[in-house]
C-alpha cells in the first residue's frame, strides 16, 4: 500500500494594494468596528487579530461561529455588537457568512427588516466566499455589497494588514487612538458586571437556569484544559467563561440543512 505524501497548500493572502487601502480607511475612521465570523483557524489567528485590534484600538465583535478574539479582552464587544454596528462609520468584516445580517435584523412578530448600520457606513470584507460559487443553486444569504471587497484568507491577511495600518499611523493619530483605551476598558467592565447581574436573576429557580448551570460548570472545569465543542447553542457560557485559546469555543458545525 502506497500512501501519497500530503503537502498542505498555503492559504492565499489578500492583495497588498487592497490591504493598504483598507488600512487607510480604518486609520481615518472615527468609529471603526471589526466583525469576525469564521476568521481564526488557529491560535495564531486569534493572536493576529488581537494585534490588529490593539494597533487600531478598534473594538471586535465575534459572531460565535469561531473563537476569534479573547472574551476577557477590553476590546471584545460581542455582547454589544448591535450598538457598535449602529455607531460604526467603517466596518471590517472577516470571513462573514452573512454580511447582510450584520447590518440588519428582523423584528418580531412580523419579521420586518430593520437596518442597524448607518446608511453611509463603509464596509470592508476580507473573505474567500467569492471564490467558492460553483453551482446554479446555493445558499449565500442575502446579497450585501461591500465598499471594499477583498478576496483572500482572513487569518493570513491579518499580519500584512496590521503592518499596513502601522505605516499609515502618524504619531499624532496613534496618540489619539491610544487615548480611547480607557473608555473601552470602562465599557468592558460595565458589560461584564451587567452580565454577572443578569446571570444571578432567578438563580434559585427549578429547573435550574442555563445561566446558573453555566456558572456551576465553569467552577468545575476552570482549572482544567477545557473545550466547549458546540458553543453556539447556549449563550451563557460565551458570556461567563473567559476564553483566551482558539480551542475553547469551536462554534457550530453548520450544514444542518
Amino acid at each position: 500500500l502506497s500512501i501519497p505524501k500530503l503537502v498542505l497548500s498555503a492559504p492565499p493572502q489578500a492583495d497588498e494594494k487592497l490591504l493598504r487601502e483598507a488600512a487607510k480607511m480604518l486609520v481615518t475612521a472615527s468609529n471603526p468596528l471589526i466583525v469576525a465570523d469564521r476568521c481564526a483557524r488557529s491560535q495564531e489567528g486569534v493572536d493576529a487579530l488581537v494585534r490588529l485590534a490593539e494597533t487600531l484600538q478598534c473594538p471586535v465583535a465575534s459572531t460565535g461561529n469561531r473563537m476569534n478574539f479573547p472574551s476577557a479582552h477590553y476590546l471584545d464587544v460581542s455582547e454589544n455588537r448591535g450598538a457598535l454596528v449602529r455607531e460604526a462609520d467603517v466596518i471590517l468584516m472577516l470571513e462573514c457568512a452573512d454580511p447582510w445580517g450584520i447590518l440588519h435584523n428582523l423584528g418580531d412578530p412580523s419579521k420586518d427588516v430593520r437596518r442597524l448600520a448607518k446608511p453611509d457606513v463603509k464596509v470592508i470584507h476580507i473573505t474567500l466566499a467569492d471564490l467558492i460559487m460553483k453551482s446554479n443553486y446555493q445558499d449565500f444569504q442575502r446579497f450585501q455589497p461591500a465598499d471594499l471587497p477583498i478576496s483572500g484568507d482572513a487569518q493570513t491577511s491579518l499580519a500584512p494588514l496590521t503592518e499596513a495600518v502601522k505605516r499609515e499611523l502618524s504619531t499624532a493619530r496613534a496618540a489619539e487612538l491610544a487615548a480611547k483605551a480607557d473608555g473601552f476598558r470602562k465599557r468592558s467592565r460595565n458589560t461584564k458586571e451587567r452580565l454577572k447581574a443578569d446571570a444571578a436573576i432567578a438563580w434559585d429557580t427549578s429547573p435550574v437556569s442555563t445561566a446558573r448551570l453555566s456558572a456551576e460548570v465553569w467552577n468545575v472545569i476552570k482549572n482544567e484544559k477545557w473545550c466547549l465543542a458546540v458553543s453556539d447553542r447556549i449563550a451563557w457560557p460565551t458570556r461567563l467563561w473567559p476564553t483566551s485559546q482558539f480551542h475553547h469555543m469551536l462554534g457550530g458545525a453548520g450544514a444542518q440543512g
Side-chain angles (χ1 to χ4, degrees):
L1 176 64
S2 175
I3 300 177
K5 181 180 179 180
L6 174 63
V7 180
L8 298 178
S9 60
Q13 177 186 307
D15 180 78
E16 292 197 5
K17 180 180 178 181
L18 294 178
L19 292 178
R20 289 195 297 270
E21 188 173 345
K24 291 178 182 178
M25 293 171 66
L26 290 166
V27 168
T28 58
S30 299
N31 293 300
L33 173 67
I34 299 172
V35 180
D37 190 2
R38 293 184 178 274
C39 171
R41 301 185 312 278
S42 64
Q43 189 62 33
E44 180 182 345
V46 175
D47 296 340
L49 184 51
V50 169
R51 286 191 289 271
L52 175 62
E54 290 180 346
T55 302
L56 284 164
Q57 286 301 310
C58 179
V60 178
S62 284
T63 63
N65 288 322
R66 292 265 178 91
M67 205 309 263
N68 296 294
F69 198 77
S71 63
H73 197 286
Y74 68 93
L75 288 172
D76 176 63
V77 294
S78 301
E79 282 298 314
N80 299 316
R81 190 182 80 193
L84 272 293
V85 167
R86 291 186 186 94
E87 298 172 5
D89 56 346
V90 174
I91 299 177
L92 170 63
M93 297 185 183
L94 298 173
E95 211 66 72
C96 290
D98 184 13
W100 186 92
I102 303 297
L103 306 182
H104 303 78
N105 64 11
L106 299 176
D108 285 324
S110 56
K111 300 300 181 184
D112 56 304
V113 174
R114 302 174 183 178
R115 183 174 173 90
L116 291 174
K118 296 177 180 179
D120 59 346
V121 66
K122 300 299 182 183
V123 175
I124 307 164
H125 195 185
I126 303 178
T127 178
L128 287 171
D130 292 340
L131 304 180
I132 64 174
M133 297 184 186
K134 58 181 176 58
S135 305
N136 291 333
Y137 296 97
Q138 287 182 271
D139 182 7
F140 292 103
Q141 308 295 340
R142 297 195 189 192
F143 176 71
Q144 176 61 52
D147 297 277
L148 183 59
I150 303 177
S151 291
D153 177 68
Q155 174 171 312
T156 306
S157 304
L158 287 174
L161 176 58
T162 303
E163 292 304 311
V165 166
K166 290 178 179 178
R167 288 192 293 269
E168 290 295 326
L169 279 175
S170 65
T171 303
R173 183 57 176 155
E176 290 175 4
L177 295 179
K180 293 183 175 183
D182 288 341
F184 287 127
R185 287 189 172 93
K186 181 178 179 181
R187 174 181 281 188
S188 177
R189 288 193 298 268
N190 291 341
T191 298
K192 287 174 173 54
E193 290 302 317
R194 174 178 57 81
L195 291 174
K196 289 179 182 178
D198 290 348
I201 297 173
W203 186 260
D204 294 319
T205 57
S206 180
V208 65
S209 69
T210 53
R212 180 169 184 176
L213 176 63
S214 298
E216 299 286 6
V217 171
W218 173 247
N219 285 331
V220 174
I221 69 169
K222 62 183 180 181
N223 294 322
E224 306 292 338
K225 291 183 178 180
W226 62 273
C227 169
L228 186 60
V230 181
S231 58
D232 64 341
R233 296 295 181 266
I234 302 176
W236 280 110
T238 62
R239 293 169 178 165
L240 298 178
W241 300 5
T243 58
S244 58
Q245 301 298 308
F246 170 76
H247 62 264
H248 282 164
M249 300 277 182
L250 298 186
Q256 290 94 346

